[in-house]
Amino acid sequence: MDNKKLDRLLELTWNDLTEWAGTKIVSRAEGYKSKVSKVAVFQNGPIATVRGTFVYAVHVKLDENGSLYSECSCPYAVNCKHGVAAVLKYIEMRKEKIEVPEAKEQDPRVLLIKQQNSEPVLDIAQINSSIYGYQDEQNEAGQLAELLERKSKDELKTIIYELIEVFPGITKELIKRNKLTNVKAEKLIYWLKEYLKTAYKEIQFDYYGEPDENILDYQQINSNLKRLIRAGYADDVLEMADQIVSAGIYQIDNLYSEEFITLDFEKISPTLFCALEQSSATEIEKMEHALNFVLEDGYHLFDNFKNYLTKNRPESQWSRFADRLLVRLKEIGFPKASPNVCRDHFRDKFVDWLVYSLEKAGRKNEKLSICKAEARTNNNYPRLVEVLREQEKYDEAKKWIKEGVKQNQDRYSGIVSTLQEQLKQIYKLEKDWASAAIMDVENFVSSPNKDNYAACEKINKKNKTWTEVRELLLEYLEKGNLPWENLSWPLPKPKNIYAEEGSYRIFPNIRALVSIAIYEEDPKRVLYWFNKGNELNFRMPIHLADDAAEAAKDYSPQRAVSIWQKIAEDYIDETKVKSYYEAAEYLRKARKVMRLNGSKDEWEKYIKELQQKHRRKRRCIEILSKLSLKPIISD
């Protein structure tokens, strides 16, 4: 028995336990201390019995580096709450001078723990693999075909009867398949169409909020579709496909949770794809059917049809498909103007596929003409600009960007933002770093934050203007002087007349100044602006105050500690148990810094004062007591 290691357990603090097992496990372990029994010493650590959901055996050890480690017969297996509870019980027994006996090698708890941590856990997949070998799904069809070819008619009958015993549903399926005559198939198709129409009735919900009635049985629909395809009615299934998809998407859209039918409905996708492949439709017709599914689908249920559309085809085939889509575009008609909708999204998706088809057909001029028309009729300027950029027609792209910004400036900021980003990318392609830089500066003035500042830094370093620009950006954050109004401004003035209107109006901008000082790893400036914010009664976000303390902890440990203490004290004042735990996290950060700087006594004094101040908050006192650096045995 190594008494030195056992004595090390008596030196443990709550912080040691937290660093070992985590806050939550330590918190739960306290409630289990009373359930620990039969504590003994085995191999320089306590072994114990803990009554939880079941009765578990646990053994705690200290490794050569003095780190804690536990093994348990519970499902968690290592470093669990039972291990922490055993440590707490052992410390309590030693404190009360209760003798702790030494366990023997034959202790059944030792064998139980070894068994728990050494025996492999078998699942059904492992069992099947050990008996039948690894099953490669891709080769299963080939293996089955080979097996069936070798069997006689009588042997095949025997196999079918044996399968029926395991899967009774096969009987119904075989009988239904046999009964599906031409007349019955036509009747089934008729009734399926009628049944699909019921999807649009108002959905009812039962007392528990579950959908009741009018939810189509997609499993049965799918089974019947498969029977029809096998019976040679793939064309009829494909004809119904649009109705099936529309009904399913409608019901998903109108349920408060799409989960009710999505899983069943998505299984129809491969069945419809099978119908598409087996139908007598021409390749162009098949492409149109696939496009209909993709246009209707907003849930990625029919991505296999999207893959079908994008596979390699001859230019002539793409050209014929594009011609069909051009005819359909005229039938769709122009979108109706609406002050609340920036564009017709169905038409937009359709035109995306038309443009894709024209590109694949090598009809680039027509592609460009369509994009120009759609920019004005359906407000899709970004698509046109992207096509012009791909064709390296940068000057023309800039003209359309200007028009698009003018049309959408007061209505759709998202489109304006996209166009401005596209313009910046064009400047970069032209290696016009100065123009790209001024756009990033405009973004920063409109929205001063660390990310926009970093973007300014990156582009201005390429333009070799960062030193001057940086100084004027920081001056703007401090005083509100627009950087381009200064005589030493090294870039052109912004062309966006709205930049000043959208700019930040309260200066100094404490949040941005602190964030940027952290980004630039300048702790002195971090604390300067943090303190300035306190003087100006600026309410610093908790995450930013925490970041400021982290940035300053090596430069000014005392100030970092005071920031964390203030965050913690504000949490404690909320008088919520959850807030006490939040406070403890920040106090641990403060404690770590104080311990590293030799302020252990000062920390203990602070914790005592905090406990005294909040002595009526019982849960708070319990949590604070675990932040002491004194050994647990001294509690």
Short mmCIF file of all heavy atoms in Angstrom, two decimals, residues 257-284:
data_model
loop_
_atom_site.label_atom_id
_atom_site.label_comp_id
_atom_site.label_asym_id
_atom_site.label_seq_id
_atom_site.Cartn_x
_atom_site.Cartn_y
_atom_site.Cartn_z
N SER A 257 -45.38 20.08 -38.14
CA SER A 257 -44.07 19.42 -38.13
C SER A 257 -44.02 18.48 -39.33
O SER A 257 -44.84 17.59 -39.47
CB SER A 257 -43.87 18.62 -36.85
OG SER A 257 -42.69 17.85 -36.96
N GLU A 258 -43.04 18.69 -40.19
CA GLU A 258 -42.91 17.87 -41.40
C GLU A 258 -42.53 16.43 -41.09
O GLU A 258 -42.64 15.56 -41.94
CB GLU A 258 -41.87 18.48 -42.33
CG GLU A 258 -40.47 18.46 -41.76
CD GLU A 258 -39.51 19.32 -42.57
OE1 GLU A 258 -39.73 20.54 -42.63
OE2 GLU A 258 -38.56 18.77 -43.12
N GLU A 259 -42.09 16.16 -39.84
CA GLU A 259 -41.57 14.84 -39.50
C GLU A 259 -42.62 13.73 -39.65
O GLU A 259 -42.28 12.58 -39.86
CB GLU A 259 -41.05 14.82 -38.07
CG GLU A 259 -39.85 15.74 -37.86
CD GLU A 259 -39.47 15.85 -36.39
OE1 GLU A 259 -40.09 15.15 -35.57
OE2 GLU A 259 -38.57 16.63 -36.08
N PHE A 260 -43.91 14.09 -39.53
CA PHE A 260 -44.95 13.07 -39.52
C PHE A 260 -44.97 12.24 -40.80
O PHE A 260 -45.22 11.06 -40.78
CB PHE A 260 -46.33 13.71 -39.32
CG PHE A 260 -46.56 14.19 -37.91
CD1 PHE A 260 -46.76 15.53 -37.67
CD2 PHE A 260 -46.55 13.31 -36.86
CE1 PHE A 260 -46.95 15.98 -36.38
CE2 PHE A 260 -46.73 13.75 -35.56
CZ PHE A 260 -46.94 15.09 -35.33
N ILE A 261 -44.75 12.88 -41.96
CA ILE A 261 -44.88 12.13 -43.21
C ILE A 261 -43.61 12.13 -44.05
O ILE A 261 -43.52 11.34 -44.98
CB ILE A 261 -46.04 12.68 -44.06
CG1 ILE A 261 -45.79 14.13 -44.45
CG2 ILE A 261 -47.35 12.52 -43.36
CD1 ILE A 261 -46.81 14.64 -45.44
N THR A 262 -42.63 12.98 -43.72
CA THR A 262 -41.45 13.08 -44.58
C THR A 262 -40.76 11.73 -44.73
O THR A 262 -40.38 11.35 -45.84
CB THR A 262 -40.47 14.12 -44.02
OG1 THR A 262 -41.13 15.39 -43.97
CG2 THR A 262 -39.25 14.24 -44.91
N LEU A 263 -40.58 11.01 -43.62
CA LEU A 263 -39.85 9.74 -43.68
C LEU A 263 -40.54 8.73 -44.58
O LEU A 263 -39.89 8.01 -45.34
CB LEU A 263 -39.69 9.16 -42.27
CG LEU A 263 -38.70 9.90 -41.36
CD1 LEU A 263 -38.74 9.31 -39.96
CD2 LEU A 263 -37.28 9.81 -41.92
N ASP A 264 -41.89 8.67 -44.54
CA ASP A 264 -42.64 7.75 -45.40
C ASP A 264 -42.67 8.25 -46.83
O ASP A 264 -42.52 7.48 -47.78
CB ASP A 264 -44.07 7.57 -44.88
CG ASP A 264 -44.12 6.70 -43.63
OD1 ASP A 264 -43.15 5.96 -43.41
OD2 ASP A 264 -45.11 6.79 -42.89
N PHE A 265 -42.85 9.57 -46.97
CA PHE A 265 -43.00 10.14 -48.31
C PHE A 265 -41.70 10.05 -49.12
O PHE A 265 -41.72 9.81 -50.32
CB PHE A 265 -43.47 11.60 -48.20
CG PHE A 265 -43.71 12.26 -49.53
CD1 PHE A 265 -44.70 11.79 -50.38
CD2 PHE A 265 -42.94 13.33 -49.94
CE1 PHE A 265 -44.92 12.38 -51.62
CE2 PHE A 265 -43.16 13.93 -51.17
CZ PHE A 265 -44.15 13.46 -52.01
N GLU A 266 -40.56 10.23 -48.44
CA GLU A 266 -39.30 10.23 -49.18
C GLU A 266 -38.97 8.85 -49.77
O GLU A 266 -38.19 8.75 -50.72
CB GLU A 266 -38.15 10.73 -48.30
CG GLU A 266 -37.78 9.82 -47.16
CD GLU A 266 -36.68 10.42 -46.28
OE1 GLU A 266 -36.16 11.48 -46.65
OE2 GLU A 266 -36.38 9.82 -45.23
N LYS A 267 -39.61 7.80 -49.25
CA LYS A 267 -39.38 6.47 -49.79
C LYS A 267 -40.04 6.28 -51.16
O LYS A 267 -39.74 5.33 -51.88
CB LYS A 267 -39.89 5.41 -48.81
CG LYS A 267 -39.08 5.34 -47.52
CD LYS A 267 -39.71 4.40 -46.51
CE LYS A 267 -38.93 4.43 -45.19
NZ LYS A 267 -39.57 3.63 -44.14
N ILE A 268 -40.96 7.20 -51.50
CA ILE A 268 -41.62 7.14 -52.80
C ILE A 268 -40.66 7.58 -53.91
O ILE A 268 -40.80 7.17 -55.07
CB ILE A 268 -42.90 8.01 -52.80
CG1 ILE A 268 -43.96 7.32 -51.93
CG2 ILE A 268 -43.43 8.26 -54.19
CD1 ILE A 268 -45.25 8.08 -51.81
N SER A 269 -39.66 8.41 -53.55
CA SER A 269 -38.75 8.97 -54.55
C SER A 269 -38.08 7.88 -55.41
O SER A 269 -38.13 7.95 -56.64
CB SER A 269 -37.70 9.85 -53.88
OG SER A 269 -36.78 10.35 -54.81
N PRO A 270 -37.44 6.85 -54.81
CA PRO A 270 -36.82 5.82 -55.65
C PRO A 270 -37.83 5.04 -56.49
O PRO A 270 -37.51 4.57 -57.58
CB PRO A 270 -36.11 4.90 -54.66
CG PRO A 270 -36.65 5.23 -53.31
CD PRO A 270 -37.12 6.64 -53.38
N THR A 271 -39.08 4.92 -56.00
CA THR A 271 -40.12 4.22 -56.77
C THR A 271 -40.48 5.03 -58.02
O THR A 271 -40.59 4.47 -59.12
CB THR A 271 -41.38 4.01 -55.91
OG1 THR A 271 -41.01 3.32 -54.72
CG2 THR A 271 -42.43 3.21 -56.66
N LEU A 272 -40.64 6.33 -57.86
CA LEU A 272 -40.94 7.19 -59.01
C LEU A 272 -39.77 7.22 -59.99
O LEU A 272 -39.96 7.30 -61.20
CB LEU A 272 -41.29 8.60 -58.54
CG LEU A 272 -42.56 8.75 -57.70
CD1 LEU A 272 -42.80 10.21 -57.33
CD2 LEU A 272 -43.77 8.18 -58.43
N PHE A 273 -38.57 7.17 -59.44
CA PHE A 273 -37.39 7.16 -60.31
C PHE A 273 -37.35 5.87 -61.14
O PHE A 273 -36.99 5.88 -62.32
CB PHE A 273 -36.11 7.28 -59.47
CG PHE A 273 -34.88 7.52 -60.29
CD1 PHE A 273 -34.62 8.78 -60.81
CD2 PHE A 273 -33.98 6.50 -60.54
CE1 PHE A 273 -33.49 9.01 -61.58
CE2 PHE A 273 -32.85 6.72 -61.29
CZ PHE A 273 -32.60 7.98 -61.82
N CYS A 274 -37.75 4.77 -60.51
CA CYS A 274 -37.84 3.49 -61.22
C CYS A 274 -38.87 3.59 -62.35
O CYS A 274 -38.63 3.10 -63.46
CB CYS A 274 -38.21 2.39 -60.24
SG CYS A 274 -38.32 0.76 -60.96
N ALA A 275 -40.00 4.23 -62.05
CA ALA A 275 -41.03 4.42 -63.08
C ALA A 275 -40.50 5.27 -64.23
O ALA A 275 -40.77 4.99 -65.41
CB ALA A 275 -42.26 5.09 -62.47
N LEU A 276 -39.74 6.29 -63.90
CA LEU A 276 -39.15 7.16 -64.92
C LEU A 276 -38.24 6.35 -65.85
O LEU A 276 -38.31 6.47 -67.08
CB LEU A 276 -38.35 8.28 -64.25
CG LEU A 276 -37.69 9.31 -65.18
CD1 LEU A 276 -38.72 10.31 -65.66
CD2 LEU A 276 -36.56 10.04 -64.46
N GLU A 277 -37.38 5.54 -65.26
CA GLU A 277 -36.42 4.77 -66.06
C GLU A 277 -37.11 3.71 -66.92
O GLU A 277 -36.70 3.46 -68.06
CB GLU A 277 -35.40 4.10 -65.13
CG GLU A 277 -34.41 5.07 -64.51
CD GLU A 277 -33.32 4.35 -63.74
OE1 GLU A 277 -33.67 3.45 -62.95
OE2 GLU A 277 -32.13 4.68 -63.94
N GLN A 278 -38.20 3.09 -66.40
CA GLN A 278 -38.85 2.00 -67.12
C GLN A 278 -39.95 2.48 -68.07
O GLN A 278 -40.50 1.69 -68.84
CB GLN A 278 -39.43 0.99 -66.12
CG GLN A 278 -38.37 0.25 -65.33
CD GLN A 278 -38.96 -0.85 -64.47
OE1 GLN A 278 -40.02 -1.41 -64.78
NE2 GLN A 278 -38.26 -1.20 -63.39
N SER A 279 -40.28 3.75 -68.03
CA SER A 279 -41.36 4.27 -68.87
C SER A 279 -40.94 4.31 -70.33
O SER A 279 -39.76 4.24 -70.67
CB SER A 279 -41.76 5.67 -68.41
OG SER A 279 -40.76 6.61 -68.79
N SER A 280 -41.93 4.46 -71.20
CA SER A 280 -41.66 4.53 -72.64
C SER A 280 -41.43 5.97 -73.10
O SER A 280 -41.32 6.22 -74.31
CB SER A 280 -42.85 3.93 -73.42
OG SER A 280 -44.04 4.68 -73.14
N ALA A 281 -41.35 6.91 -72.17
CA ALA A 281 -41.14 8.32 -72.51
C ALA A 281 -39.78 8.50 -73.18
O ALA A 281 -38.84 7.74 -72.94
CB ALA A 281 -41.21 9.17 -71.24
N THR A 282 -39.70 9.52 -74.05
CA THR A 282 -38.42 9.84 -74.67
C THR A 282 -37.49 10.43 -73.61
O THR A 282 -37.93 10.83 -72.53
CB THR A 282 -38.59 10.86 -75.80
OG1 THR A 282 -39.03 12.11 -75.22
CG2 THR A 282 -39.60 10.38 -76.83
N GLU A 283 -36.21 10.52 -73.94
CA GLU A 283 -35.25 11.05 -72.98
C GLU A 283 -35.58 12.49 -72.60
O GLU A 283 -35.46 12.88 -71.44
CB GLU A 283 -33.83 10.96 -73.57
CG GLU A 283 -32.73 11.28 -72.58
CD GLU A 283 -32.66 10.30 -71.42
OE1 GLU A 283 -33.15 9.16 -71.55
OE2 GLU A 283 -32.12 10.67 -70.36
N ILE A 284 -36.01 13.29 -73.58
CA ILE A 284 -36.36 14.70 -73.29
C ILE A 284 -37.58 14.76 -72.38
O ILE A 284 -37.63 15.57 -71.44
CB ILE A 284 -36.63 15.47 -74.60
CG1 ILE A 284 -35.41 15.41 -75.53
CG2 ILE A 284 -36.98 16.93 -74.30
CD1 ILE A 284 -34.14 15.96 -74.93
#
